[in-house]
Amino acid sequence: MRHSPVVPGRGPVPLAGGTAPGRVPLVAVAHGSRDPRAAATVAALLDRVRLARPGLPVVTAFLDHCVPSLPQALRGLDAGRGASAMSCVVLPLLLTEAYHSRVDLPAALNEARARDPWLRPCQGATLGPHPLLLRALERRLAEAGVPAGDPDTAVVLVSAGSSDAGANAVVAATARQWARTGWWAVTAAYASAAGPTPEQAVERLRRAGAPRVAVAPYLLAPGHFADKVRAATPGAVHADVLGAAPELVDVLLERYDAARLTAWTGTGT
């Protein structure tokens, strides 16, 4: 039996609109892609979230290219109709905090609030950075035949890349953290907007004498960037995208619980 989270000195956290525990909807917002494989991957991930927490309403939305948009997805959600009600938890299915999570998503939420003043969504944190994402990356590499922390393998951690230098720096920091777990080396690369490119990173590692080079896409779903990276780095071992890895399910639910708790205690913005 599940219970509402408990805050020391306050007791169980009340849920929006008097609903049963776990009933505050989780609205998962993906970037969106013209490639249908991306939406299918998001659907598979959220199906696993539903299985992991039965009874939790999980709603899908997209920032671009796909429907429903976030305002469309929020239509029809019970806003609780109370001054302190939390309508839903909105979680960005993004691996770094950058323009989409800081600008696009808040703008979409403002549009939804303007349409329905009773709507009180709470925005949660992006998926990354999180230690479980390294486990998910190791899972995908193991599926490609590369054991975790193999001292004879250098890994290129490839993200989509961002015009936000801070987001790129987070990926680089993740690579440095991962390098301490036994690999020959781990280096960050970016499929767009920043350098080094994946092909540059692979070539540098080969010139440095790496016995084997593996490419680990720090990408949620297949699509343009994943295909581009694979085509640009022939001869390397290629792991699959993170997709519906069980570790991502755990991260999503952790972000959901943290956002609900923060909204109720009034420590968020």
Side-chain angles (χ1 to χ4, degrees), residues 30-67:
H31 179 275
S33 170
R34 293 185 179 90
D35 191 320
R37 295 174 297 168
T41 300
V42 170
L45 172 62
L46 297 183
D47 281 345
R48 286 198 167 191
V49 170
R50 294 181 184 96
L51 286 173
R53 191 165 295 184
L56 172 64
V58 179
V59 179
T60 309
F62 298 93
L63 290 173
D64 201 3
H65 301 303
C66 301
V67 292

Side-chain angles (χ1 to χ4, degrees), residues 122-135:
C122 169
Q123 180 178 337
T126 56
L127 295 175
H130 195 289
L132 283 178
L133 295 181
L134 293 181
R135 293 190 194 175

Side-chain angles (χ1 to χ4, degrees), residues 132-265:
L132 283 178
L133 295 181
L134 293 181
R135 293 190 194 175
L137 289 163
E138 290 175 349
R139 173 187 296 275
R140 295 306 185 217
L141 282 167
E143 292 167 353
V146 181
D150 179 17
D152 292 324
T153 300
V155 178
V156 179
L157 177 66
V158 183
S159 78
S162 173
S163 58
D164 186 321
N168 297 330
V170 169
V171 176
T174 299
R176 291 193 295 271
Q177 176 187 354
W178 202 15
R180 294 193 288 267
T181 61
W183 301 101
W184 194 88
V186 180
T187 187
Y190 308 91
S192 69
T197 65
E199 52 267 44
Q200 288 170 337
V202 168
E203 181 60 25
R204 288 175 188 174
L205 289 169
R206 285 176 175 157
R207 288 180 178 176
R212 174 169 66 171
V213 179
V215 174
Y218 195 53
L219 302 169
L220 179 62
H224 170 72
F225 286 130
D227 292 346
K228 175 183 176 182
V229 169
R230 185 175 289 269
T233 53
V237 178
H238 292 93
D240 201 357
V241 296
L242 294 169
E247 293 82 3
L248 267 71
V249 174
D250 292 338
V251 173
L252 259 174
L253 290 174
E254 181 181 313
R255 299 301 196 209
Y256 168 81
D257 291 336
R260 271 185 56 199
L261 189 59
T262 297
W264 184 75
T265 57

